Structures are given as C-alpha cells and as structure tokens.
Amino acid sequence: MRTLVLGGIRSGKSQWAEQAIAESTVAGQPVRYLATGAAPDDDAEWSARIAAHRARRPSHWSTVETVDVTTQLRSATASPTLVDDIGGWLTAVMDRRGAWAIRSPGSITADVDELIDAVGAFGSPLALVSPEVGLTVVPPTASGRRFADELGGLNQRLAGLCDRVVLVVAGQPLTVKEPSRAESRQ
C-alpha cells in the first residue's frame, strides 16, 4: 500500500506516517527512512528537530539521508519505506535545476516524472510525507509561488498514485482517500 500523508508545518504528519508504516509491516521488520532534510552545521534548531525525529524511530529502522529519492526507491523495492519529506526533495531538485530563477527557470519535469514512475513501481509499503501548500496565503515572491505551484501539482500526482491519502491537522488524521474493500484485501 502506498500512502500520501499531507499536513502543515508541525501538524504531526511525520509522526502519523511513522506509526502508519510501522502498522503496515510485520512486527520487527526493518523500515527504510529516507530523510530529505540534511542538518546544516550552523542551525541548532533544525538539528534539534532532526534529532527528535531520529529519537522516536525504532532502532531496527535504517535512515538514509538523501535527496536522491528516485534512486533509493528503485534500488530496494522490497523494503518498506517512508520518505520524509517530498517538500525537501522538491527544494533540492529546484536548487539543482536552477528552477528558482524568474527569467528562464530550469525545468524539473523530468525529475518529477521519474519520481512518479518510481513511486508507481514501488512494490512494498510506502509512506510519503509532504507539506500541504493550499492552506495558507499565496507566497509574496515569484520563487515562493513557483514552489507552491510545483508542490501542489506534485502532491496531486502522488495522490492519484497512492492507495490512501491522509491529511493531518493538529495531530489528527483526516482520511481523504482510502482503498476500496476489494483493494485492501489484495
């Protein structure tokens, strides 16, 4: 089962996704945690957030800090996996492609298409955590609007592929999409 977990900043989406992937695996089965937000050496607050995430994960889970989510998904399709988060992945792609530029921005289409293909082909339990961008003001900068537009479109494509979509608000999960009974028995 593929699950997309959406929510705002500090909504509880990561913790909910961790519980959901743990429940979808056999007790004690390793889970691969793909973390897309590296800790810069000079940001103590961000480092503390990452440490809190690490501390609540079971010791038998492995963590891979990477923005190359596509390669990771294709390399170990039998490992239950949690990706946290798609917004961090998109930021890295936009950085790499020069997509923040106002004039002649780089294209991220190929990267997004590759991610969608990798998610669609993934054969084990998969949880994808992503910020929901549609719940706030429109960003005041062109680059902020570009990010919101790209993430919103990517979330829509991922939601179309996923069996289940959950929106987490104030720590409370709201089911947006769930598999039919026939699909959940397979």
Side-chain angles (χ1 to χ4, degrees), residues 10 35 37-57 65:
R10 308 299 279 179
D41 293 334
D42 60 345
D43 191 337
E45 188 272 338
W46 186 249
S47 295
R49 285 182 185 220
I50 290 172
H53 275 240
R54 285 183 186 141
R56 69 174 182 243
R57 289 181 216 142
E65 293 185 4

Side-chain angles (χ1 to χ4, degrees), residues 25 29-32 72-81 121-125:
T25 60
Q29 181 178 14
V31 171
R32 184 174 48 152
Q72 289 293 321
L73 291 178
R74 289 183 174 148
S75 69
T77 61
S79 298
T81 300
F122 197 77
S124 291

Side-chain angles (χ1 to χ4, degrees), residues 47 157 176 183:
S47 295
R157 289 182 70 185
V176 176
E183 289 173 331

Side-chain angles (χ1 to χ4, degrees), residues 11 49 60 64 75 84 89 92 98 103 126 130 134 151 156 165:
S11 64
R49 285 182 185 220
H60 63 277
V64 179
S75 69
D84 192 1
W89 173 84
R103 291 185 180 90
L126 177 63
S130 189
L151 185 58
Q156 289 180 46
V165 179

Side-chain angles (χ1 to χ4, degrees), residues 144-157:
R145 288 188 297 273
R146 171 96 194 264
F147 178 80
D149 290 347
E150 294 292 352
L151 185 58
L154 177 54
N155 283 345
Q156 289 180 46
R157 289 182 70 185

Side-chain angles (χ1 to χ4, degrees), residues 53-128:
H53 275 240
R54 285 183 186 141
R56 69 174 182 243
R57 289 181 216 142
S59 61
H60 63 277
W61 286 19
S62 65
T63 299
V64 179
E65 293 185 4
T66 183
V67 292
D68 194 358
V69 173
T70 302
T71 298
Q72 289 293 321
L73 291 178
R74 289 183 174 148
S75 69
T77 61
S79 298
T81 300
L82 188 151
V83 178
D84 192 1
D85 82 9
I86 298 298
W89 173 84
L90 181 61
T91 298
V93 168
M94 291 180 72
D95 285 347
R96 189 173 65 245
R97 300 292 182 206
W100 302 103
I102 294 171
R103 291 185 180 90
S104 302
S107 176
I108 62 168
T109 301
D111 298 275
V112 169
D113 289 346
E114 287 177 14
L115 177 67
I116 294 296
D117 290 345
V119 168
F122 197 77
S124 291
L126 177 63
L128 304 164

